[in-house]
Amino acid sequence: NPDEEEEDEDEDEESEESEESESDDNDNNDGKNKKSYKKVKMSGSAPVDEYFDNQSWTVFEENGIVWDAMLNQTNIGQNNNKFYKLQILTDSDESEFCAFFRWARVGYKGQMSRTWGNKQKCIGAFKKKFHDKTLNDWEDRDNFQSYARKYTYLPMDYGGDDDDDDDND
C-alpha cells in the first residue's frame, strides 16, 4: 500500500551502510589536492536526492519554503560522522507527494524511508522527523539551537554560481 510508511529504525543505520556503498577514496598520486564534485540534476531550488527512484519529481516548494533539510551529527569520541537528509518530493502537477528520508555515515548510501500521502501528511512527517532528530521546530530553523547527541541543521546553498571562496585557481 503506497500510503503506508516504511520502517525507519535509527539503531540499524550503522550496520547496513557498508553493505550498499563503496569507498570514495581517491588514490591520486599526482601530488595535487583536487576538489571532488558531484553533478546533480537541478529542477527547482534543491536537487532531488540521488537515490530517490523517480528523478522526474522535484523538491516541493511553497510560499518561499523549500522542503529540503540536511542534518549532520559528528562526535569524534564516539567515531560518529553521519547525516540525515529530509525532503518532501512531488510529481510535476503536485498531485502526489512523498516525504523522503535517507541516513547514513557520511560517504555512504545508507538507508531510506518514504511516507506517501497528501501534502499535509508529508509536511507533518517532515516536521516530526526534523524535530525528532534536532529538538528544533522546522519553523525555527533560522534560529537553530544545537543539542548534544542530536543532529545539527546544515542550511544548504545549491546556487549555481562558480564563485568558490576557497578556490585559488
Side-chain angles (χ1 to χ4, degrees), residues 94-116:
E94 294 188 2
S95 63
E96 295 182 70
F97 290 86
C98 176
F100 177 80
F101 309 114
R102 186 166 67 90
W103 64 98
R105 186 170 179 86
V106 171
Y108 292 89
K109 176 181 177 182
Q111 298 176 70
M112 297 170 273
S113 91
R114 298 159 185 83
T115 300
W116 301 92

PDB file of all heavy atoms in Angstrom, residues 94-116:
ATOM      1  N   GLU A  94       1.890  18.250  -8.863  1.00  0.00           N
ATOM      2  CA  GLU A  94       1.674  18.305  -7.419  1.00  0.00           C
ATOM      3  C   GLU A  94       0.411  17.565  -6.995  1.00  0.00           C
ATOM      4  O   GLU A  94      -0.299  17.977  -6.087  1.00  0.00           O
ATOM      5  CB  GLU A  94       1.672  19.760  -6.912  1.00  0.00           C
ATOM      6  CG  GLU A  94       3.018  20.424  -7.071  1.00  0.00           C
ATOM      7  CD  GLU A  94       3.129  21.795  -6.408  1.00  0.00           C
ATOM      8  OE1 GLU A  94       2.168  22.250  -5.766  1.00  0.00           O
ATOM      9  OE2 GLU A  94       4.199  22.400  -6.541  1.00  0.00           O
ATOM     10  N   SER A  95       0.174  16.425  -7.637  1.00  0.00           N
ATOM     11  CA  SER A  95      -0.967  15.597  -7.245  1.00  0.00           C
ATOM     12  C   SER A  95      -0.529  14.458  -6.317  1.00  0.00           C
ATOM     13  O   SER A  95      -1.358  13.865  -5.635  1.00  0.00           O
ATOM     14  CB  SER A  95      -1.665  15.019  -8.479  1.00  0.00           C
ATOM     15  OG  SER A  95      -0.795  14.164  -9.189  1.00  0.00           O
ATOM     16  N   GLU A  96       0.768  14.147  -6.310  1.00  0.00           N
ATOM     17  CA  GLU A  96       1.310  13.111  -5.433  1.00  0.00           C
ATOM     18  C   GLU A  96       2.467  13.694  -4.634  1.00  0.00           C
ATOM     19  O   GLU A  96       3.237  14.507  -5.150  1.00  0.00           O
ATOM     20  CB  GLU A  96       1.819  11.922  -6.251  1.00  0.00           C
ATOM     21  CG  GLU A  96       0.750  11.168  -6.997  1.00  0.00           C
ATOM     22  CD  GLU A  96       1.338   9.976  -7.729  1.00  0.00           C
ATOM     23  OE1 GLU A  96       1.737   9.011  -7.036  1.00  0.00           O
ATOM     24  OE2 GLU A  96       1.404  10.018  -8.963  1.00  0.00           O
ATOM     25  N   PHE A  97       2.598  13.233  -3.385  1.00  0.00           N
ATOM     26  CA  PHE A  97       3.659  13.727  -2.502  1.00  0.00           C
ATOM     27  C   PHE A  97       4.336  12.564  -1.797  1.00  0.00           C
ATOM     28  O   PHE A  97       3.733  11.522  -1.552  1.00  0.00           O
ATOM     29  CB  PHE A  97       3.083  14.682  -1.450  1.00  0.00           C
ATOM     30  CG  PHE A  97       2.629  15.987  -2.022  1.00  0.00           C
ATOM     31  CD1 PHE A  97       1.357  16.121  -2.550  1.00  0.00           C
ATOM     32  CD2 PHE A  97       3.479  17.082  -2.044  1.00  0.00           C
ATOM     33  CE1 PHE A  97       0.935  17.325  -3.091  1.00  0.00           C
ATOM     34  CE2 PHE A  97       3.066  18.283  -2.577  1.00  0.00           C
ATOM     35  CZ  PHE A  97       1.786  18.407  -3.102  1.00  0.00           C
ATOM     36  N   CYS A  98       5.602  12.781  -1.446  1.00  0.00           N
ATOM     37  CA  CYS A  98       6.376  11.787  -0.715  1.00  0.00           C
ATOM     38  C   CYS A  98       7.324  12.507   0.237  1.00  0.00           C
ATOM     39  O   CYS A  98       8.063  13.399  -0.184  1.00  0.00           O
ATOM     40  CB  CYS A  98       7.184  10.927  -1.695  1.00  0.00           C
ATOM     41  SG  CYS A  98       8.278   9.746  -0.887  1.00  0.00           S
ATOM     42  N   ALA A  99       7.287  12.140   1.516  1.00  0.00           N
ATOM     43  CA  ALA A  99       8.318  12.589   2.458  1.00  0.00           C
ATOM     44  C   ALA A  99       9.418  11.538   2.373  1.00  0.00           C
ATOM     45  O   ALA A  99       9.190  10.362   2.662  1.00  0.00           O
ATOM     46  CB  ALA A  99       7.756  12.692   3.867  1.00  0.00           C
ATOM     47  N   PHE A 100      10.597  11.963   1.932  1.00  0.00           N
ATOM     48  CA  PHE A 100      11.713  11.058   1.678  1.00  0.00           C
ATOM     49  C   PHE A 100      12.815  11.332   2.690  1.00  0.00           C
ATOM     50  O   PHE A 100      13.202  12.482   2.899  1.00  0.00           O
ATOM     51  CB  PHE A 100      12.240  11.279   0.253  1.00  0.00           C
ATOM     52  CG  PHE A 100      13.437  10.441  -0.095  1.00  0.00           C
ATOM     53  CD1 PHE A 100      13.281   9.114  -0.466  1.00  0.00           C
ATOM     54  CD2 PHE A 100      14.714  10.975  -0.062  1.00  0.00           C
ATOM     55  CE1 PHE A 100      14.379   8.331  -0.790  1.00  0.00           C
ATOM     56  CE2 PHE A 100      15.815  10.204  -0.395  1.00  0.00           C
ATOM     57  CZ  PHE A 100      15.644   8.883  -0.754  1.00  0.00           C
ATOM     58  N   PHE A 101      13.310  10.273   3.327  1.00  0.00           N
ATOM     59  CA  PHE A 101      14.373  10.390   4.313  1.00  0.00           C
ATOM     60  C   PHE A 101      15.481   9.412   3.954  1.00  0.00           C
ATOM     61  O   PHE A 101      15.217   8.263   3.599  1.00  0.00           O
ATOM     62  CB  PHE A 101      13.858  10.073   5.721  1.00  0.00           C
ATOM     63  CG  PHE A 101      12.620  10.841   6.102  1.00  0.00           C
ATOM     64  CD1 PHE A 101      11.418  10.194   6.302  1.00  0.00           C
ATOM     65  CD2 PHE A 101      12.658  12.216   6.248  1.00  0.00           C
ATOM     66  CE1 PHE A 101      10.276  10.897   6.649  1.00  0.00           C
ATOM     67  CE2 PHE A 101      11.524  12.932   6.591  1.00  0.00           C
ATOM     68  CZ  PHE A 101      10.334  12.265   6.794  1.00  0.00           C
ATOM     69  N   ARG A 102      16.727   9.876   4.087  1.00  0.00           N
ATOM     70  CA  ARG A 102      17.886   9.000   3.876  1.00  0.00           C
ATOM     71  C   ARG A 102      18.915   9.322   4.940  1.00  0.00           C
ATOM     72  O   ARG A 102      19.175  10.483   5.242  1.00  0.00           O
ATOM     73  CB  ARG A 102      18.476   9.200   2.472  1.00  0.00           C
ATOM     74  CG  ARG A 102      19.604   8.209   2.158  1.00  0.00           C
ATOM     75  CD  ARG A 102      19.944   8.184   0.676  1.00  0.00           C
ATOM     76  NE  ARG A 102      20.538   9.423   0.210  1.00  0.00           N
ATOM     77  CZ  ARG A 102      21.846   9.678   0.194  1.00  0.00           C
ATOM     78  NH1 ARG A 102      22.712   8.789   0.640  1.00  0.00           N
ATOM     79  NH2 ARG A 102      22.289  10.832  -0.266  1.00  0.00           N
ATOM     80  N   TRP A 103      19.524   8.285   5.513  1.00  0.00           N
ATOM     81  CA  TRP A 103      20.500   8.494   6.579  1.00  0.00           C
ATOM     82  C   TRP A 103      21.610   7.463   6.476  1.00  0.00           C
ATOM     83  O   TRP A 103      21.404   6.356   6.005  1.00  0.00           O
ATOM     84  CB  TRP A 103      19.815   8.420   7.949  1.00  0.00           C
ATOM     85  CG  TRP A 103      19.220   7.087   8.270  1.00  0.00           C
ATOM     86  CD1 TRP A 103      19.791   6.100   9.034  1.00  0.00           C
ATOM     87  CD2 TRP A 103      17.948   6.571   7.853  1.00  0.00           C
ATOM     88  NE1 TRP A 103      18.953   5.004   9.105  1.00  0.00           N
ATOM     89  CE2 TRP A 103      17.811   5.276   8.399  1.00  0.00           C
ATOM     90  CE3 TRP A 103      16.910   7.081   7.075  1.00  0.00           C
ATOM     91  CZ2 TRP A 103      16.692   4.488   8.186  1.00  0.00           C
ATOM     92  CZ3 TRP A 103      15.789   6.297   6.862  1.00  0.00           C
ATOM     93  CH2 TRP A 103      15.690   5.021   7.415  1.00  0.00           C
ATOM     94  N   ALA A 104      22.813   7.898   6.889  1.00  0.00           N
ATOM     95  CA  ALA A 104      23.982   7.010   6.827  1.00  0.00           C
ATOM     96  C   ALA A 104      25.175   7.706   7.457  1.00  0.00           C
ATOM     97  O   ALA A 104      25.131   8.898   7.788  1.00  0.00           O
ATOM     98  CB  ALA A 104      24.320   6.664   5.375  1.00  0.00           C
ATOM     99  N   ARG A 105      26.265   6.981   7.544  1.00  0.00           N
ATOM    100  CA  ARG A 105      27.559   7.580   7.832  1.00  0.00           C
ATOM    101  C   ARG A 105      27.933   8.404   6.599  1.00  0.00           C
ATOM    102  O   ARG A 105      27.622   8.011   5.465  1.00  0.00           O
ATOM    103  CB  ARG A 105      28.595   6.481   8.091  1.00  0.00           C
ATOM    104  CG  ARG A 105      29.935   7.000   8.549  1.00  0.00           C
ATOM    105  CD  ARG A 105      30.814   5.845   9.018  1.00  0.00           C
ATOM    106  NE  ARG A 105      32.101   6.341   9.426  1.00  0.00           N
ATOM    107  CZ  ARG A 105      32.380   6.814  10.647  1.00  0.00           C
ATOM    108  NH1 ARG A 105      31.448   6.832  11.571  1.00  0.00           N
ATOM    109  NH2 ARG A 105      33.590   7.260  10.935  1.00  0.00           N
ATOM    110  N   VAL A 106      28.574   9.536   6.797  1.00  0.00           N
ATOM    111  CA  VAL A 106      28.959  10.389   5.672  1.00  0.00           C
ATOM    112  C   VAL A 106      29.802   9.577   4.688  1.00  0.00           C
ATOM    113  O   VAL A 106      30.708   8.852   5.085  1.00  0.00           O
ATOM    114  CB  VAL A 106      29.723  11.642   6.166  1.00  0.00           C
ATOM    115  CG1 VAL A 106      30.321  12.409   5.006  1.00  0.00           C
ATOM    116  CG2 VAL A 106      28.790  12.534   6.989  1.00  0.00           C
ATOM    117  N   GLY A 107      29.459   9.693   3.411  1.00  0.00           N
ATOM    118  CA  GLY A 107      30.180   8.982   2.367  1.00  0.00           C
ATOM    119  C   GLY A 107      29.519   7.693   1.926  1.00  0.00           C
ATOM    120  O   GLY A 107      29.993   7.039   1.001  1.00  0.00           O
ATOM    121  N   TYR A 108      28.441   7.298   2.585  1.00  0.00           N
ATOM    122  CA  TYR A 108      27.750   6.057   2.258  1.00  0.00           C
ATOM    123  C   TYR A 108      26.323   6.328   1.816  1.00  0.00           C
ATOM    124  O   TYR A 108      25.733   7.356   2.151  1.00  0.00           O
ATOM    125  CB  TYR A 108      27.731   5.118   3.471  1.00  0.00           C
ATOM    126  CG  TYR A 108      29.092   4.591   3.823  1.00  0.00           C
ATOM    127  CD1 TYR A 108      29.920   5.281   4.702  1.00  0.00           C
ATOM    128  CD2 TYR A 108      29.549   3.405   3.264  1.00  0.00           C
ATOM    129  CE1 TYR A 108      31.180   4.801   5.015  1.00  0.00           C
ATOM    130  CE2 TYR A 108      30.811   2.912   3.580  1.00  0.00           C
ATOM    131  CZ  TYR A 108      31.622   3.617   4.458  1.00  0.00           C
ATOM    132  OH  TYR A 108      32.853   3.135   4.764  1.00  0.00           O
ATOM    133  N   LYS A 109      25.757   5.368   1.088  1.00  0.00           N
ATOM    134  CA  LYS A 109      24.364   5.471   0.636  1.00  0.00           C
ATOM    135  C   LYS A 109      23.406   5.370   1.813  1.00  0.00           C
ATOM    136  O   LYS A 109      22.469   6.152   1.930  1.00  0.00           O
ATOM    137  CB  LYS A 109      24.063   4.366  -0.381  1.00  0.00           C
ATOM    138  CG  LYS A 109      22.626   4.326  -0.836  1.00  0.00           C
ATOM    139  CD  LYS A 109      22.399   3.182  -1.819  1.00  0.00           C
ATOM    140  CE  LYS A 109      20.949   3.085  -2.235  1.00  0.00           C
ATOM    141  NZ  LYS A 109      20.730   1.956  -3.145  1.00  0.00           N
ATOM    142  N   GLY A 110      23.588   4.389   2.652  1.00  0.00           N
ATOM    143  CA  GLY A 110      22.773   4.236   3.844  1.00  0.00           C
ATOM    144  C   GLY A 110      21.405   3.657   3.586  1.00  0.00           C
ATOM    145  O   GLY A 110      21.198   2.881   2.661  1.00  0.00           O
ATOM    146  N   GLN A 111      20.457   4.084   4.396  1.00  0.00           N
ATOM    147  CA  GLN A 111      19.103   3.575   4.353  1.00  0.00           C
ATOM    148  C   GLN A 111      18.141   4.690   3.987  1.00  0.00           C
ATOM    149  O   GLN A 111      18.462   5.861   4.134  1.00  0.00           O
ATOM    150  CB  GLN A 111      18.728   3.004   5.710  1.00  0.00           C
ATOM    151  CG  GLN A 111      19.608   1.849   6.117  1.00  0.00           C
ATOM    152  CD  GLN A 111      19.268   1.367   7.493  1.00  0.00           C
ATOM    153  OE1 GLN A 111      18.207   0.789   7.689  1.00  0.00           O
ATOM    154  NE2 GLN A 111      20.137   1.613   8.443  1.00  0.00           N
ATOM    155  N   MET A 112      16.940   4.288   3.552  1.00  0.00           N
ATOM    156  CA  MET A 112      15.938   5.260   3.119  1.00  0.00           C
ATOM    157  C   MET A 112      14.575   4.850   3.642  1.00  0.00           C
ATOM    158  O   MET A 112      14.320   3.670   3.859  1.00  0.00           O
ATOM    159  CB  MET A 112      15.871   5.301   1.589  1.00  0.00           C
ATOM    160  CG  MET A 112      17.152   5.768   0.944  1.00  0.00           C
ATOM    161  SD  MET A 112      17.126   5.524  -0.825  1.00  0.00           S
ATOM    162  CE  MET A 112      17.720   3.856  -0.932  1.00  0.00           C
ATOM    163  N   SER A 113      13.721   5.844   3.811  1.00  0.00           N
ATOM    164  CA  SER A 113      12.310   5.560   4.057  1.00  0.00           C
ATOM    165  C   SER A 113      11.485   6.600   3.334  1.00  0.00           C
ATOM    166  O   SER A 113      11.956   7.709   3.059  1.00  0.00           O
ATOM    167  CB  SER A 113      11.991   5.509   5.551  1.00  0.00           C
ATOM    168  OG  SER A 113      11.602   6.743   6.042  1.00  0.00           O
ATOM    169  N   ARG A 114      10.269   6.220   3.003  1.00  0.00           N
ATOM    170  CA  ARG A 114       9.359   7.086   2.266  1.00  0.00           C
ATOM    171  C   ARG A 114       7.999   7.059   2.935  1.00  0.00           C
ATOM    172  O   ARG A 114       7.525   5.987   3.309  1.00  0.00           O
ATOM    173  CB  ARG A 114       9.197   6.605   0.822  1.00  0.00           C
ATOM    174  CG  ARG A 114      10.463   6.608   0.010  1.00  0.00           C
ATOM    175  CD  ARG A 114      10.298   5.652  -1.188  1.00  0.00           C
ATOM    176  NE  ARG A 114      11.520   5.526  -1.951  1.00  0.00           N
ATOM    177  CZ  ARG A 114      12.520   4.723  -1.639  1.00  0.00           C
ATOM    178  NH1 ARG A 114      12.463   3.976  -0.561  1.00  0.00           N
ATOM    179  NH2 ARG A 114      13.598   4.668  -2.383  1.00  0.00           N
ATOM    180  N   THR A 115       7.369   8.218   3.070  1.00  0.00           N
ATOM    181  CA  THR A 115       5.991   8.307   3.513  1.00  0.00           C
ATOM    182  C   THR A 115       5.204   8.918   2.367  1.00  0.00           C
ATOM    183  O   THR A 115       5.469  10.062   1.976  1.00  0.00           O
ATOM    184  CB  THR A 115       5.852   9.190   4.780  1.00  0.00           C
ATOM    185  OG1 THR A 115       6.621   8.609   5.823  1.00  0.00           O
ATOM    186  CG2 THR A 115       4.409   9.312   5.210  1.00  0.00           C
ATOM    187  N   TRP A 116       4.287   8.154   1.809  1.00  0.00           N
ATOM    188  CA  TRP A 116       3.466   8.621   0.697  1.00  0.00           C
ATOM    189  C   TRP A 116       2.156   9.157   1.247  1.00  0.00           C
ATOM    190  O   TRP A 116       1.628   8.644   2.223  1.00  0.00           O
ATOM    191  CB  TRP A 116       3.183   7.475  -0.271  1.00  0.00           C
ATOM    192  CG  TRP A 116       4.423   6.870  -0.839  1.00  0.00           C
ATOM    193  CD1 TRP A 116       5.108   5.798  -0.335  1.00  0.00           C
ATOM    194  CD2 TRP A 116       5.147   7.294  -1.992  1.00  0.00           C
ATOM    195  NE1 TRP A 116       6.216   5.535  -1.122  1.00  0.00           N
ATOM    196  CE2 TRP A 116       6.251   6.433  -2.148  1.00  0.00           C
ATOM    197  CE3 TRP A 116       4.947   8.317  -2.924  1.00  0.00           C
ATOM    198  CZ2 TRP A 116       7.166   6.562  -3.181  1.00  0.00           C
ATOM    199  CZ3 TRP A 116       5.859   8.444  -3.960  1.00  0.00           C
ATOM    200  CH2 TRP A 116       6.946   7.578  -4.086  1.00  0.00           C
TER     201      TRP A 116
END
